[in-house]
Amino acid sequence: MASIPSELSTRCSVLLPKYESVRGFTHVLCEPLEIEDFVVQSMPDASPIRWHLAHTTWFFETFILKRFARNYEPVNPMYEYLFNSYYNGIGEQFPRSKRGLLTRPTVAEVMIYRREVDNRMGQLLLEAQPEDAKQIAPLVELGLHHEQQHQELMLTDLKHALAQNPMYPAYEPRPASFAEEVTPQTWHPVEGGIVEIGHADTRFAYDNESPRHEALIPSLEIAGRLVTNGEYLQFVEDGGYRRPELWLSLGWNTVQSEQWEAPLYWVRRNETWHEFTLAGLEPLNAASPVTHVSYFEADALARWQASRLPTEFEWETASRQVPVEGNFVETRHFHPAPAQDAEGLRQMLGDAWEWTSSSYAPYPGFEPPEGAIGEYNGKFMCQQYVLRGGSCATSQSHIRKTYRNFFPPEARWQFTGIRLAR
C-alpha cells in the first residue's frame, strides 16, 4: 500500500502499518477455530467471537469513518444497533445476554464487514487532511487498543465456552510443557511515603490512568512472585471454602450461592486435580500461578496466609523496579507460566492480572472526554476492583505499569491471579 502523504503528522504516518498489524493479529487468533466456535455464547458476561469481530469493526466505523470519511455510507445500518456494546450516546443496543441467539449476520458476512471497513480506513488514513489527522490519530490509536482488549476477551470468552464441553477440547496445543519446580517465595521492600501515581508521558494511555497525582503509601513488603496452584491447593485442602471467617460477607454469600469449591476450571478426576486450559485438560501444575480466581478468593487466600492484597498504588510503585517483559499473548502459551528464578520481582507483567484491594474510582481531577467516547471507562467506576499487570492473553504492546483493569469482585473467567503484600 502507498505511503501516507508527508503533510500528515508523524503520528499518523505510522498508524496504517500498526492498524494492519493489530487488526491482522485478531485473525491470527481465529485461525485455530472451527465455524461453530464463532457463534456460541456461554454466559451473559461473555460474547460470541463473531460479535467481537464485528464490534471492534463497528468502533472504527462509528467513531472515525462516519465522522471523517467523505460521503460515508454505513456498510449496514442495522450494525449500529447490533454491535453497539454500551454507548448510550450512540443509540440503543441489542441486549448483551442475547448476542448468542443471532444467526445473522453470518460469520462470512462479518468478515466482509471487517474487510470493507479496513479498506475504507486505509483510504481515510491516506487521504485525511492535516486538520482532520490531528483528531483521527488519537481515535485510531484508541481503537487499536480497544481491539487488543477484545483480542484478550476473545480468548477468555472462548475458553469459558470450551470449558462447558465435557470433551474439554483444546483451542491450540501448547508449544512446550511448563516446568513443575516451584521457586521459593521471596519478599521485597517498598519504601513508604508520598509517591507519584498515574500516566506521565505523551504515549498512549486510557483516560482512567490520569491525571498523575500524589498518593501516600506505607512501607511494606510485596511478594516476589504470584501465588501458585500448589499454594492455593493447600488453602483448598485446609477447608478454605468452608471457613466463613476467612471471607468477606459478600464473598461468603457468593461461595454459598455459587457452590464454589476451587478456582474456575479446576476439575477433580479420580481424586486428582486437573485444570482446563486453552491446550485442553491438564494435570494441575503446582508451580504455575493460580488463575481464574475472584477478588473474593484472592482476599480469602491472603487472610489465610496472614497477608493482604496490595493497593494499586503500592503495586504501581513496586512495578517501577521491573521492565515490561513477561509471558504475554505473543508467546502463544495462553496460560500463566511458573516463575523462572528466585531473584527479584517476577511475573509483575504478563501471566495473570493481579487483584488489588483498590476500588475502581476516578483519580483526583479525572475528566472523561466529551461525547460518546467518554463512556469508555468513566461510567464503570462503581462496584469494581482494580487489577494490574496484564496476563498471558494480553498483548505486550498494550500493557503499561499505569494500566488499570477493573472487574466486579465475583468475576473469574479472566486470567486473574494473586500477589500478596504485608
Side-chain angles (χ1 to χ4, degrees), residues 185 225-235 304-305:
Q185 183 63 283
R225 60 159 170 76
L226 298 173
V227 171
T228 65
N229 282 330
E231 290 163 339
Y232 199 91
L233 180 58
Q234 294 176 27
F235 168 74
W304 179 77
Q305 288 271 39

Side-chain angles (χ1 to χ4, degrees), residues 305-381:
Q305 288 271 39
S307 300
R308 62 176 177 85
L309 301 178
T311 68
E312 65 166 318
F313 308 130
E314 293 167 345
W315 189 98
E316 185 174 321
T317 303
S319 74
R320 291 168 186 163
Q321 305 175 32
V322 300
V324 182
E325 299 174 353
N327 176 24
F328 294 103
V329 71
E330 289 84 358
T331 68
R332 301 187 71 88
H333 289 312
F334 304 122
H335 197 74
Q340 297 300 303
D341 54 61
E343 299 296 327
L345 286 171
R346 295 147 285 156
Q347 303 172 313
M348 289 290 285
L349 286 304
D351 284 306
W353 287 102
E354 302 177 23
W355 286 107
T356 74
S357 61
S358 297
S359 295
Y360 181 49
Y363 286 165
F366 169 77
E367 293 184 4
E370 294 182 359
I373 205 73
E375 299 183 53
Y376 197 106
N377 282 311
K379 71 180 186 180
F380 298 107
M381 292 175 173

Side-chain angles (χ1 to χ4, degrees), residues 19-33 38 49-50 52-54 56-57 107-108 110-116 118 147 151 154 171-172 332:
Y19 179 92
E20 293 170 340
S21 174
V22 172
R23 294 279 285 174
F25 188 65
T26 301
H27 292 275
V28 169
L29 293 177
C30 291
E31 288 174 357
L33 303 183
F38 284 88
I49 301 301
R50 175 186 53 186
H52 288 293
L53 294 171
T56 51
T57 305
V107 175
V110 167
M111 291 302 187
I112 292 172
Y113 178 41
R114 285 182 67 89
R115 287 196 298 272
E116 181 63 26
D118 286 347
E147 179 118 0
Q151 290 167 356
M154 285 167 58
Y171 160 72
E172 185 172 274
R332 301 187 71 88

